[in-house]
Amino acid sequence: MNDLMVPGPVAPPAARRGGGPAPLVHTAAVTTGGTLAWVGWVWLLAALGYGAAVAVISFVGERDTSLWQVAVATWQRWLMLAAGTTMTTTFAPMLITNGVTRARLARSVVVCAVAVGLLGGLFLGAGFAVESVVFAGFGWPRALSNGVSFDSAAAVCRLGAAYGLGLSAWFVSGWLAGLARHVRESAFAILLVPALVPAVLAEGLVLGGVGAFVLPFIPDWRFPFAVGAPVVVTVLGLACVAGVRASREISLVHR
């Protein structure tokens, strides 16, 4: 009888339910869907505002450079930085308290970084494509603010690819900055410098290479996209590895 009353090992909640740990596809759907739930609305409102601005300009004047670049594309970096910075504080309590490991959470954030880069690149590339057609119809020059032309399908594709990679870089930099603030608050000012490396490299090596807007303090080096992109992708991979390792120290206890 006493043997029957001795409690055995307690199974984890997920195992007791018989479902096991949540697969990556489910946790990544949470991080990606939760991010796009508000980023998508921002993109939609930006596109509607752009359409209204083009309609007004067509009646009162003309453009000699891209409006999509100035009105929509240039501030997307800050949107991605904000999204990346809030990943840990937003999703860690939700997922970790429901049995998701910190490593699985980090990998879900990496999937989200790739997704927002792909979708953001498609969104901005589509905007440049539409603008190219509209500007051609009005007889306006199809050029960026620094004179680089986007009057061909190849140029539009390069812009979309460059912006997509740049958005992922800014997102990852924001994620690393948010992690540094969460797990190493005392050293945050020091860790912020390496955290921003992916974003800075993307600005100089990729966005500058296609003639897109570059931050004022970064030279417009005009590297060919085929040269700059592999470097940025490599740095992004290393940054994601660092983010996964740093996520092991995530604590839900108030600091």
Side-chain angles (χ1 to χ4, degrees), residues 231-249:
V231 176
V232 175
V233 169
T234 300
V235 171
L236 274 177
L238 295 174
C240 288
V241 171
V244 172
R245 292 180 64 86
S247 294
R248 297 174 183 176
E249 302 183 43

Side-chain angles (χ1 to χ4, degrees), residues 173 176-198 246 249:
S173 282
L176 294 179
L179 276 172
R181 176 68 175 80
H182 185 84
V183 304
R184 287 288 186 271
E185 184 176 357
S186 60
F188 172 68
I190 298 174
L191 294 175
L192 185 61
V193 175
L196 292 177
V197 167
E249 302 183 43

